[in-house]
Amino acid sequence: STSAFDPSTFSVQELVKLAAPDFSIPQPFVRINQQPPSLSVTTPLPPTIDMSRLLLEDDHQNLELHKLHSTCQDWGIFQLVNHGVSSSLLEKLKHEVEEFYRLPLEEKLKYKIREGELEGYGRRMRADGKYDWVDTFNIITNPLHRRSPHLFPQLPPSLRFFPSLL
């Protein structure tokens, strides 16, 4: 049973492993009377922002900059294209992140989010006090002075050293 829910040592991945006939979902994950999201082929995709257009000299007439501004206000998410980061580096980063999530829970908890902070391994709490069904790992890489001194140096070397992204 999961009645002794401890948010500082809990993982959604571990919750899935616990699924058994007598399993009960921890209360912080239960949402009563919530409508399931409705996604269909008519649901619009987030806008695409072209980095090369953002870098144009004339900021006053930069339509892509205006598009970015309104996208951030209206959507909060977008796809960035023509950013110059090689697909091989992105694939390597994706692989390293997947490897991090495959670590045993006790290893991932070495990077857990400290109280009052946003960086580290953990889960996301919604405004209603319920947790999202996702494990997260958040780090700030730039600017350098915003990196967490207790977290960043402890990361696995494969996640700490991405010179093209830093």
Side-chain angles (χ1 to χ4, degrees):
S1 172
T2 56
S3 58
F5 175 75
D6 177 1
S8 68
T9 61
F10 195 78
S11 160
V12 173
Q13 286 177 321
E14 297 300 313
L15 179 63
V16 172
K17 292 177 187 177
L18 294 174
D22 64 341
F23 173 77
S24 63
I25 297 172
Q27 277 306 118
F29 288 92
V30 176
R31 297 190 187 137
I32 308 292
N33 299 327
Q34 181 183 8
Q35 292 290 85
S38 61
L39 296 177
S40 69
V41 291
T42 59
T43 302
L45 295 174
T48 299
I49 301 297
D50 187 330
M51 183 73 170
S52 64
R53 291 184 183 172
L54 282 176
L55 299 175
L56 294 175
E57 296 287 325
D58 187 3
D59 281 344
H60 181 68
Q61 295 296 324
N62 192 328
L63 297 177
E64 200 70 9
L65 190 59
H66 294 290
K67 180 180 174 185
L68 174 62
H69 178 77
S70 64
T71 297
C72 289
Q73 286 182 322
D74 299 340
W75 282 83
I77 188 170
F78 54 88
Q79 178 183 9
L80 186 65
V81 296
N82 296 325
H83 44 66
V85 179
S86 73
S87 59
S88 63
L89 180 63
L90 292 175
E91 284 300 314
K92 181 168 176 35
L93 178 60
K94 178 183 173 191
H95 172 76
E96 296 300 336
V97 170
E98 288 171 347
E99 289 300 309
F100 175 83
Y101 279 101
R102 287 188 184 107
L103 291 172
L105 180 59
E106 52 275 2
E107 278 297 306
K108 291 183 282 198
L109 288 176
K110 291 179 181 177
Y111 310 101
K112 74 179 179 181
I113 299 171
R114 291 182 178 178
E115 190 170 333
E117 295 186 7
L118 301 173
E119 290 184 275
Y121 173 77
R123 68 233 35 82
R124 192 175 345 179
M125 185 184 286
R126 300 174 64 88
D128 63 4
K130 299 292 184 179
Y131 287 99
D132 279 340
W133 284 90
V134 64
D135 294 331
T136 64
F137 183 66
N138 302 311
I139 58 172
I140 294 174
T141 58
N142 277 318
L144 295 177
H145 71 274
R146 296 227 18 237
R147 289 183 181 173
S148 294
H150 70 278
L151 179 64
F152 204 84
Q154 304 305 319
L155 291 174
S158 57
L159 288 177
R160 196 173 348 124
F161 185 67
F162 271 95
S164 298
L165 294 178
L166 310 177

